[in-house]
Each structure stands twice: as C-alpha cells, then as structure tokens.
Amino acid sequence: MSISANAFFSSLLPEERQELAALFHPVEVEAGERLFTQGSVSEGAYLIEEGALDLELALPGDDPVVIGRVASGDFLGEPALLCSARRNLSAVAVKRVRAQFIDRLDYQGLRHSFRTVSFKLMLEIARLTGRRLQEVNQATSAVAGNRQDDPFTDTPIWGASHPDAQEGCPFDPAPYLPLLPFFKEFTAQDVTDLLSLTSMWEVPRGGLLVRAGEKARCCWIVIRGAVEALSPDTGMRVALFGPGDILGQFSPLLDLPATAHCRVREDAVVLEVGPKALDHLLRPASRASFKFVNGACLASMRGLQRANRVLARATKSWLSSQRA
Amino acid sequence: MCRATGYLGPPIAISALLHEPDNGLARQINPRQHSMLNLAGFGMMAWVDGSREAHEPLVYRDTTVPIYDSNLASLSRKVSASTVLAHVRGIPYAPSVGYGPQNLHPFRYPGTQLALAHNGDLTDFHLMRVALHEYLRPEIAAQIGGTTDSEYVYALLLSQLDDPTRKQEPAQILEALHRTLSIIRRERAAIGVDTRSSLNLFICDQNLLIGVRFTYDYGRYPLDPALVEEAPLEYLGLWYTAGERFTEDDDRWRMVGTGGSCEAVLVASEPLTDDVTGWVEVPEYTAMIAQRKGSEVTVSLQEIDA
C-alpha cells in the first residue's frame, strides 16, 4: 500500500496514514478501459499507483475532448468523497493502471466523527482542487487567447480600506444563514463561532473583491446577491457565486495569486473570512472548522467542474478554428 | 414552477419528448428540480413537415394535467414534428392567479413568426403591467389575451422587432431581447423591485430555437424567511443536449451521434432523462442559439448583458 510514499498524504501522521490505508482496496484496468465514465454515479476516489489515464469530457453534440492526464501518485475522483453526484469526466487508461479505491461512505464515517485525518484529507483535497483549477484556467487562457487590457487595474478592492465600505449587514442575517447551502450542516453555535471571527460587508454591483494576479489574504461567502469570477485573459465569466457560495479560497489556501477577478454582479452582502479567521478555520480546532473546510471543498469542486466545461468548450472552438 | 422543452431536429414522435423518456415533459408535473406542482395545463406548438401549411405549427392547449390527457397521448404518439416547443404551467396556490387556456404557453400571435414560452416569475408584475404598455406596438398590445407576465414578455419582444411578421435572424432576435430585458429592468427599478426574478425563455420559429437563461437580481432573495424557504436559491436551470438524433437506445432515451454533424438539439428546463450524461447547463446570463440550415443544426452560445 502506497499511502506512506504518496505526497498527497504527507501531512498525515503515521497512525493517521494507517487509519486511512485500512479503507482502501485495489482495482485494476487495462489500457483502453475506463476507470469511470462521464455520467456514471460516483462512489469514491482513486489513488493511482501505476499507469496513466486520460481525462475526457464530452459536451453535447461533440466528441470527447482530452482535458488532462493523471499518472502514478495522483489522487483522482476526490469530489466523490464529499458528495454523491455523477462523474463529470471519463478516465480512460492510457496504459495498464493499478489503483487503490476508497469508498465515500467510509470516508464520510471519518468526517462525521470529526476525525483529524478526515480534516487533513479535506484540506489536501481543497488544495489539489485549487491547483487543478489554476491549471485548467491557464489552459483555457492559452487556448482562448488573451485580451489586451485589464479593466480592473485601478479599481480598489472592497474591504476596510475601501473609501465607500460599510461594515455590517443591512438586515438581521440570523434567520437566513441556516437556509444557505454553505451553512447546511452548521449548528447555531457553529454559526456564532464563525461570525465571531468574520466581518460582513454590503457591496454594490461592480464592487471588486478579488483582483487576479494578486495574493488574497481572505475569502468570501455570499450571504445575499451574487458575485462573478472573470478570466483576466479573456474577460469571460468563469463562475457565478450566489447565496451560500464561497469564493476566493484558493489564494490564501495555496498562498498563490488569484487566477480570476471576482466582482459583485448583483448588489450583495458578503462575509469576509480574513487571515485571523482562516488561521483558526484551517486547523481542526472546532466543529465549525470541519464544516467550513467541507463547505469550501464542495464549492471548489463545483468550480472545477464548471472550469472543465469552459476548457472543453474553448478547446473545441480552437480545434474548429485550426481545421477551418 | 413551469417546465418547458424545445426541440429542433429530424422528425420525432412528440411522445418522445412528452411521455416516453423517464423524465419527459408530461411527467414533470412534480418536477425533480423544483417543489411547485405544475397543474395549470399544457401547451405545445409543433411544426410538422409535409403537413398542410407546414410553415404554421400545430397548436395544442388544454388545462388538463398532461399526464392524464389521453387525447394528447394519442396525438403525440401519432404525430412526428421537426420543431417542437412545449410547456407545462405551474402557478402558486392562490385564487388570484389567472387560470385558463388563455394563459397557456407558448404564445404566437397570428401573422408573426416567433413563438415563446417562459419559465420563471417576474416579481410584482401586476405593478408594472400598465407601464409596459408604453413599449408595446398597439397592434401587438391588442392581441394580448391573458393575464400573465409571460405573455407581456412575448408582446414586448415582438414590439422591439422591426417587423414581427417577417422571419428574423438570430442577431435581430437577440437585439430585441436585449431591449426587452432592459425595459423590464427599468420598470422594475421604477417600482422599487430588487429581488430575484427568473426569466428563462424558449423562443423559436420553424428553423430556429433559442434558450435564454436569465435572472434579474440573482441571489437577492426576499427578506422574509418564509419566502426564502419556499424558493430555491440556485440560479434557475436551463439545459441542452445536441447530436444526430434523440432516440431510444438500449431501453433508454438519449441523444446519439457526436463530432462532425449535429442535426438535433433539445433545450429544456431540466433534462428529459434520468441519465444526464450529454446534457449540460446553458451558462447563466446566456442564450443558446440553435439554427437549422438543410439538415444540419449549428449551436452557439452568446452572453447576455442586460
């Protein structure tokens, strides 16, 4: 069993790796066979020990497009650990693949008992998703071409230093937070704990929360209204965040510059999760931390699914233009 | 919440869209993606090749719940159409809401080319109805027969076209759509409405199908917890699939054929099949445009900024 040697699990203590390893079991596929198929129900994740797989995405009316490849040491299909859904990609073996499979139910058993090993795995999944999202966004920019101008060069970021910033929520958010998807598993105490660490801002349409190319020190949860993420290279909308969605989490998580501008699309109230809050929430310090990271992971995966579709669409357009 | 389906492609038995797939439109009385029951009736327009006056659609409207409508079931099994726009109507449980065949979609006024169905709800429409008349051509306004926001959206769209009796190119329709959405936004502001209103539209003629995924003030739920619990927080969905044909294959319905040629497109409020492989959501604030020339259908997406 290769968990000990795998970089993905390097943050785990030896006894945590052992606890996790007991949940894996081996699978094999031959070259040309699918490890899983787009549209099939996802049941768990795979640790690739040997071999390589192409990741294919098919959009309506088109042949599948290869949007990536995974190989020995990669962790694949991790969204399935957090939620039941359908695979949004196919994984096709390029050569014979040996892998280890972990079932979602087994992983969720760890998470629901607030085992530290599950928290660390969630954080690694969030980081992996963030790195993949960056790669996909860069690939999309490479294919879709670059714009010449950046419309946000002189736009101030919203926050305490913004000249028009008004801290606070214009209404009592307490009745609404439990209704928002991000807070679905939060108890009243969890919400209180989270709000004690964070700030709320009312931001008008057009307000900029994140500037691409800069390292952000905080992330945001939309409480009301909507925020859109825009590619700095193409200007295309690459994501839309509504009530209960989290955005901007990758930059502080990975300590890397943001890859998209995030601008308020509809007058919004947003929860700013600043550096002090992140320092608390990114450690298994409380149940609220577990739930916060779980929510961030789920949101990240939805973002990656969407980005993959954008990449497939951009690739198809590029291929068509090459053939023309 | 209303549900609608549009089809453009080789002739297909209408039952293949309504009754036969596991989530066919007639089965969406209790839709999987929303909680409101759709009990206010069914409407359909279908262009049937080789029929008398083939450029005019067959029109069917009935307030009977479609899954119980044996006339519809018989008709849809026997008739194959190459363009279909069908709609089941959902309304709130309130006596004040207008119920009857005059309020069923799709709308298509005599002498005009475009048909329209709507999935969504314009908040406080009754407060802006009178003001909207300012933007309507008199001959279009005179044809309004129902009480719905949807029909007013249709009338507004027609009124923004240079000549609604002529065939329109997609660019002209999108320009008129943009003006329509801007008018509604202006009137919403005038009456102080700033909460979410979905305006997913299905627009078609015999060889064109446009699916519009649009919401005003997305994310701005009403500040009443009881209303927030009833209404979903997600951006109202709109899905499409494309390929060579929509067919029953190995006991399940799906779009087959990919790559070089696209001859069939389906756009729907929710996928017509349990297996959603091959279906993808139209991006938010975007129109999906499917245009048929000969047997080939081209599909494109265009962002709407209104």
Side-chain angles (χ1 to χ4, degrees):
Chain A
M1 180 51 206
S2 59
I3 274 189
S4 305
N6 193 290
F8 188 79
F9 304 101
S10 59
S11 65
L12 302 183
L13 299 170
E15 56 271 27
E16 290 168 343
R17 283 191 214 135
Q18 207 169 358
E19 187 178 4
L20 199 57
L23 302 179
F24 282 85
H25 64 263
V27 296
E28 290 182 7
V29 290
E30 300 297 326
E33 288 182 349
R34 290 166 188 251
L35 190 59
F36 52 79
T37 305
Q38 182 175 347
S40 61
V41 175
S42 63
E43 293 170 341
Y46 300 85
L47 175 62
I48 311 301
E49 291 186 310
E50 189 182 300
L53 300 117
D54 274 344
L55 303 179
E56 295 182 350
L57 190 148
L59 289 176
D62 285 322
D63 288 325
V65 172
V66 176
I67 61 167
R69 179 173 282 198
V70 293
S72 174
D74 284 332
F75 199 50
L76 178 63
E78 65 281 359
L81 293 183
L82 301 188
C83 61
S84 171
R86 292 190 181 263
R87 300 285 187 192
N88 63 315
L89 298 168
S90 298
V92 184
V94 175
K95 45 189 177 180
R96 186 165 177 270
V97 167
R98 227 169 23 89
Q100 296 283 336
F101 174 76
I102 177 170
D103 193 286
R104 175 177 55 256
L105 292 177
D106 289 331
Y107 169 75
Q108 289 292 328
L110 289 179
R111 185 175 83 80
H112 286 300
S113 51
F114 298 98
R115 307 282 300 161
T116 304
V117 61
S118 72
F119 185 91
K120 290 183 179 180
L121 192 57
M122 269 196 296
L123 262 189
E124 287 308 318
I125 290 172
R127 291 191 178 110
L128 173 66
T129 309
R131 284 193 291 272
R132 285 202 179 131
L133 186 58
Q134 291 202 321
E135 287 162 14
V136 169
N137 285 341
Q138 280 160 5
T140 303
S141 293
V143 166
N146 294 340
R147 286 205 317 193
Q148 297 301 313
D149 57 336
D150 178 353
F152 300 112
T153 309
D154 299 320
T155 307
I157 299 285
W158 209 272
S161 57
H162 192 285
D164 301 326
Q166 287 186 15
E167 188 171 349
C169 184
F171 56 90
D172 176 12
Y176 303 100
L177 293 181
L179 304 173
L180 304 185
F182 189 87
F183 300 98
K184 200 169 59 167
E185 293 185 348
F186 280 63
T187 62
Q189 185 58 51
D190 295 331
V191 170
T192 303
D193 289 347
L194 182 65
L195 292 182
S196 70
L197 298 165
T198 53
S199 309
M200 270 202 212
W201 301 91
E202 192 176 7
V203 186
R205 181 172 170 150
L208 192 67
L209 300 180
V210 177
R211 184 183 290 113
E214 291 181 0
K215 283 191 189 179
R217 297 174 65 233
C218 64
C219 62
W220 308 83
I221 299 173
V222 180
I223 303 301
R224 190 172 184 247
V227 177
E228 58 188 352
L230 304 171
S231 163
D233 297 307
T234 63
M236 280 168 49
R237 182 183 315 105
V238 295
L240 183 69
F241 306 99
D245 285 334
I246 185 169
L247 63 125
Q249 67 272 28
F250 292 123
S251 186
L253 199 61
L254 300 174
D255 195 28
L256 288 172
T259 54
H261 302 299
C262 291
R263 174 180 70 178
V264 172
R265 168 80 197 203
E266 310 287 359
D267 294 346
V269 172
V270 292
L271 187 75
E272 181 189 17
V273 186
K276 196 169 136 197
L278 285 172
D279 187 56
H280 175 90
L281 292 166
L282 295 183
R283 289 181 283 119
S286 66
R287 295 189 170 212
S289 305
F290 276 79
K291 295 171 187 180
F292 176 84
V293 173
N294 185 61
C297 263
L298 286 169
S300 307
M301 284 163 189
R302 284 195 295 273
L304 181 57
Q305 281 183 9
R306 187 193 174 115
N308 282 333
R309 288 198 292 272
V310 172
L311 172 60
R313 202 171 284 130
T315 302
K316 182 218 160 193
S317 296
W318 181 82
L319 287 172
S320 296
S321 70
Q322 296 301 296
R323 282 196 287 262
Chain B
M1 172 70 71
C2 300
R3 310 274 82 189
T5 294
Y7 171 81
L8 191 70
I12 191 169
I14 297 172
S15 59
L17 306 175
L18 303 185
H19 300 94
E20 295 182 43
D22 38 29
N23 196 37
L25 184 67
R27 295 169 184 246
Q28 293 178 25
I29 309 309
N30 185 5
R32 292 162 190 203
Q33 297 190 3
H34 280 282
S35 56
M36 191 195 295
L37 294 177
N38 294 324
L39 302 176
F42 171 83
M44 171 180 74
M45 290 184 180
W47 283 257
V48 180
D49 296 345
S51 65
R52 188 172 165 210
E53 292 182 350
H55 61 283
E56 292 290 322
L58 175 157
V59 180
Y60 187 99
R61 276 203 187 91
D62 201 286
T63 52
T64 305
V65 174
I67 201 70
Y68 299 118
D69 186 345
S70 54
N71 288 334
L72 175 63
S74 173
L75 181 78
S76 64
R77 274 197 302 272
K78 295 297 288 182
V79 176
S80 292
S82 56
T83 309
V84 179
L85 180 55
H87 180 272
V88 288
R89 189 167 176 240
I91 53 176
Y93 184 64
S96 58
V97 176
Y99 175 93
Q102 72 283 0
N103 282 340
L104 295 173
H105 316 197
F107 304 99
R108 184 175 183 266
Y109 291 156
T112 65
Q113 299 291 318
L114 293 181
L116 179 145
H118 169 219
N119 174 200
D121 175 41
L122 275 181
T123 305
D124 286 338
F125 162 71
H126 63 286
L127 297 177
M128 68 176 97
R129 188 207 310 259
V130 170
L132 290 177
H133 274 266
E134 178 191 333
Y135 306 98
L136 299 179
R137 292 171 187 260
E139 68 274 19
I140 299 290
Q143 298 194 64
I144 295 175
T147 57
T148 63
D149 52 358
S150 311
E151 190 175 4
Y152 271 76
V153 172
Y154 175 64
L156 271 174
L157 179 70
L158 289 186
S159 298
Q160 308 314 306
L161 296 167
D162 288 338
D163 184 353
T165 65
R166 296 176 67 88
K167 165 126 182 90
Q168 308 290 325
E169 290 301 314
Q172 294 169 300
I173 298 171
L174 290 177
E175 207 180 299
L177 175 68
H178 196 277
R179 284 200 287 273
T180 301
L181 295 176
S182 299
I183 288 166
I184 296 172
R185 187 180 282 283
R186 206 155 52 234
E187 293 306 320
R188 280 168 58 88
I191 60 172
V193 171
D194 64 357
T195 53
R196 63 167 283 162
S197 288
S198 302
L199 205 73
N200 282 5
L201 301 175
F202 299 71
I203 303 167
C204 81
D205 66 23
Q206 189 173 11
N207 290 301
L208 178 68
L209 177 61
I210 299 176
V212 178
R213 189 177 182 207
F214 187 84
T215 294
Y216 290 104
D217 295 299
Y218 167 57
R220 291 183 59 80
Y221 44 81
L223 291 178
D224 177 341
L227 293 178
V228 177
E229 278 186 33
E230 282 174 15
L233 293 169
E234 301 88 14
Y235 200 105
L236 186 61
L238 184 67
W239 297 76
Y240 76 103
T241 183
E244 280 181 20
R245 63 188 187 286
F246 186 63
T247 188
E248 193 172 16
D249 179 44
D250 207 16
D251 278 338
R252 58 190 183 105
W253 282 87
R254 61 192 190 98
M255 188 69 80
V256 299
T258 57
S261 84
C262 174
E263 297 185 5
V265 170
L266 267 169
V267 62
S269 304
E270 56 185 84
L272 301 188
T273 54
D274 272 345
D275 180 358
V276 301
T277 310
W279 289 84
V280 72
E281 286 197 279
V282 177
E284 301 89 349
Y285 308 106
T286 299
M288 184 231 61
I289 303 129
Q291 190 171 26
R292 174 168 51 206
K293 290 196 167 129
S295 63
E296 195 158 315
V297 175
T298 54
V299 178
S300 59
L301 298 174
Q302 186 160 326
E303 197 164 304
I304 301 166
D305 188 14

